[in-house]
Structures are given as C-alpha cells and as structure tokens.
Amino acid sequence: LGGLLPWPRVFLDPWLHATGAWAIFVVNFRSNFSGYAYTYCLPLITARDYGFGQLSNSYVFGVIAGVRIGVTLLVSRLAKRYSDRGLMLALVSCSLGLTLAYCACSRLSTARVPLALLVALFVGLFCSDSGPPTQGLYSKLIGRGHAGLYFAVLQSNGAIARALAGQLVGLAYGRLGPAALWGTMIALAAGMLPLLAGMWPRFELAHVRAMHERLAAARCAGAAAASVN
C-alpha cells in the first residue's frame, strides 16, 4: 500500500534494520501523535472549563506559538553543541514529566485547573516536541541513498499518527473519557525511554559514521563479487 501503510517497510526493509532507523519511526509516530493530540484537545478543555470560543482560544494558541518559536531557535542552537540523541532524550523526558504533571493537577483532565497553569503546562508540552532532533538523527542514519523515499515513508508514518490522534481525542472527550487519551500519551512517552536506552549506542555519531563505512564497504565487495561472477 506504499505511503498509505508505511509499516511493512519498517518491518521488512533491510536498510532500515541495518541502520537502526526503524526506531526513529516509533519516536516520530509518538511525536506526531502527541503534538496533534494537544492541538485537538486543548480547545475542548478550554471550552469545557472556561467557556472559551474561537477568539479566546486564538489568544492561547498565540502565546503557545510565540514561546515555541523561541524554543525552536534555542533547540537549533543546542543542536550544534549537543547530539541529536541527547536532545531527543531530554525532550521526551520533559514531555513525559509535563504530561504526568497535567494529569496529576487535573485528575486525568477531568477537573478544572487555573487558566495560567493550564497555559503554562500546554506551552511546555508543545515546546517539548522531539521532532527536529528526531528527523536530524533519521537523516544521518539513512545516509545519502534514497533519502527522498525514506523521508516520504517517515512523513506517511507521521500522517497516520496525526489521523489517529484526532480519532482518539474525539472518542476520549466524547464516549470513553479523557483518561483514555492521557493514559495513551503517558504510555507512549514512557515507552520511548527504554527504546532510546536500547538504541543509545547505535545513535552515537561516531558509530553512525563507522556503520555507513562498513555498509559501503560491504556493498562494494558485493558489487565486485557480482562483476567477477
């Protein structure tokens, strides 16, 4: 099914397994799912708890956008000094901590919290997006060959996460209750920590360079053997 269902490529593609880039699909899925779930559920929370409409919500999202621009610039500067894997771990950990804090303050999004606290927590949740370092690391792992194809599959993976986020938000704030959404968010964020810990050595930049050198040598040896035969 190509881009409509990218997971077969994740499970079957030998290059993704050889480079360890399959793990980035998992992190990317969680990043897109969480980011869009915040976007979809925040207006529902403000309408329920404070009676906000479109205009009031625009102010809230304006504050979030302004702070997020500054944080994005900061992360881009930090990326020049620190590794992608370190930034990824820091942002995922920050996201998990803020999610737990919001769930504790709001009793899994069932109780009203002070507006200033809500805005502060959601600013933090939006700003702890691990997308930029995740895609930076994915680019290094994939290498130069077929980068366009592999990034297209990664974007398809993100699109599915965004669609599923909308569906779960609708169900959680409609039939199932908010705990269904926030429990899923906690599980996804917590699940990233053992994944990153397990892949930590393979995400080190020197290891990535050495890996590509080995893979390139193996391809050259295979091509030479094929030409001889």
Side-chain angles (χ1 to χ4, degrees):
L1 295 176
L4 295 176
L5 189 58
W7 291 304
R9 179 171 288 276
V10 178
F11 296 128
L12 302 176
D13 192 294
W15 188 250
L16 292 179
H17 282 272
T19 59
W22 63 268
I24 300 299
F25 276 76
V26 182
V27 181
N28 181 70
F29 182 91
R30 179 259 161 196
S31 176
N32 279 272
F33 182 93
S34 299
Y36 275 79
Y38 303 146
T39 303
Y40 298 145
C41 75
L42 181 55
L44 300 178
I45 295 171
T46 56
R48 180 196 66 190
D49 294 344
Y50 313 105
F52 279 9
Q54 291 183 354
L55 180 60
S56 299
N57 279 322
S58 69
Y59 297 144
V60 175
F61 278 102
V63 171
I64 292 171
V67 177
R68 191 171 184 180
I69 290 171
V71 172
T72 301
L73 293 174
L74 176 62
V75 170
S76 67
R77 291 182 66 87
L78 291 175
K80 299 176 182 178
R81 299 186 58 185
Y82 302 99
S83 66
D84 290 323
R85 65 175 185 170
L87 290 174
M88 235 167 44
L89 178 61
L91 290 169
V92 170
S93 301
C94 182
S95 177
L96 176 58
L98 289 166
T99 302
L100 290 172
Y102 172 70
C103 291
C105 293
S106 66
R107 298 200 293 272
L108 288 173
S109 194
T110 59
R112 185 179 186 273
V113 299
L115 179 60
L117 178 59
L118 178 77
V119 173
L121 287 171
F122 269 84
V123 165
L125 288 170
F126 275 102
C127 291
S128 58
D129 176 26
S130 61
T134 299
Q135 295 199 22
L137 180 58
Y138 182 74
S139 177
K140 295 179 179 71
L141 289 171
I142 287 298
R144 298 177 181 178
H146 305 293
L149 170 64
Y150 285 110
F151 263 97
V153 177
L154 185 70
Q155 293 302 318
S156 298
N157 180 56
I160 292 174
R162 295 191 288 271
L164 292 176
Q167 293 298 317
L168 184 55
V169 168
L171 288 172
Y173 284 87
R175 297 179 183 176
L176 302 178
L181 172 66
W182 292 96
T184 301
M185 306 272 267
I186 292 171
L188 286 174
M192 295 303 101
L193 299 181
L195 173 67
L196 292 176
M199 297 297 293
W200 190 258
R202 298 184 66 178
F203 287 164
E204 201 271 327
L205 187 56
H207 183 279
V208 173
R209 290 171 178 165
M211 173 196 67
H212 279 295
E213 291 175 359
R214 291 195 304 269
L215 292 173
R219 285 199 304 269
C220 291
S227 64
V228 170
N229 294 333

